[in-house]
Amino acid sequence: MVNDETVWELSVHRDGGRVRLEAVGDLDLDSAPKLLTEMVSQLEAGAEELVVDLAGLAFIDSSGLGTLVGCWRRAQQAGATLVVANPGPDVSMTLEITGLDQILPIRDEKQAA
């Protein structure tokens, strides 16, 4: 569950070429550049598979959406794969309304488990 006090938090877990980024809070104009910076850093360090876990995300705005698309494109250019995982109901609705659910690879790992 997302703590109302949490504005933004990003945890990074690396296992060889697989990197899992877990976002908590709001992905917006203030926090989106931090996600992009971390993603670029991981790609430069040789990440082959990136999973952006949005289970803890409470809110996403257009800046956050644009950053997810930018991260996906950068991963493709680097020859890596990027998956958006576990978006909650509000974030899923935003992805659907914008049509990004048709572009970004999205996986619900909770159902797959």
Side-chain angles (χ1 to χ4, degrees):
M1 191 57 63
V2 177
N3 180 343
D4 289 339
E5 308 257 334
T6 302
V7 175
W8 172 254
E9 185 178 306
L10 184 65
S11 302
V12 180
H13 309 278
R14 188 172 183 116
D15 182 14
R18 186 170 195 269
V19 177
R20 180 176 203 82
L21 299 117
E22 297 175 355
V24 176
D26 297 343
L27 184 55
D28 56 18
L29 184 61
D30 290 330
S31 59
K34 297 171 188 167
L35 176 61
L36 181 59
T37 299
E38 185 60 41
M39 181 69 61
V40 169
S41 174
Q42 293 299 327
L43 288 169
E44 289 174 350
E48 298 168 0
E49 179 185 0
L50 300 132
V51 177
V52 182
D53 191 333
L54 303 182
L57 211 61
F59 171 80
I60 189 167
D61 70 3
S62 61
S63 301
L65 294 170
T67 296
L68 286 177
V69 172
C71 289
W72 174 69
R73 286 187 178 149
R74 285 177 186 254
Q76 282 188 318
Q77 291 170 351
T81 60
L82 179 135
V83 173
V84 175
N86 307 316
D90 292 341
V91 174
S92 288
M93 184 185 316
T94 303
L95 291 168
E96 289 172 22
I97 289 170
T98 59
L100 290 178
D101 65 326
Q102 302 299 309
I103 297 169
L104 296 172
I106 300 172
R107 180 171 64 209
D108 187 347
E109 295 176 332
K110 294 173 194 158
Q111 287 183 348

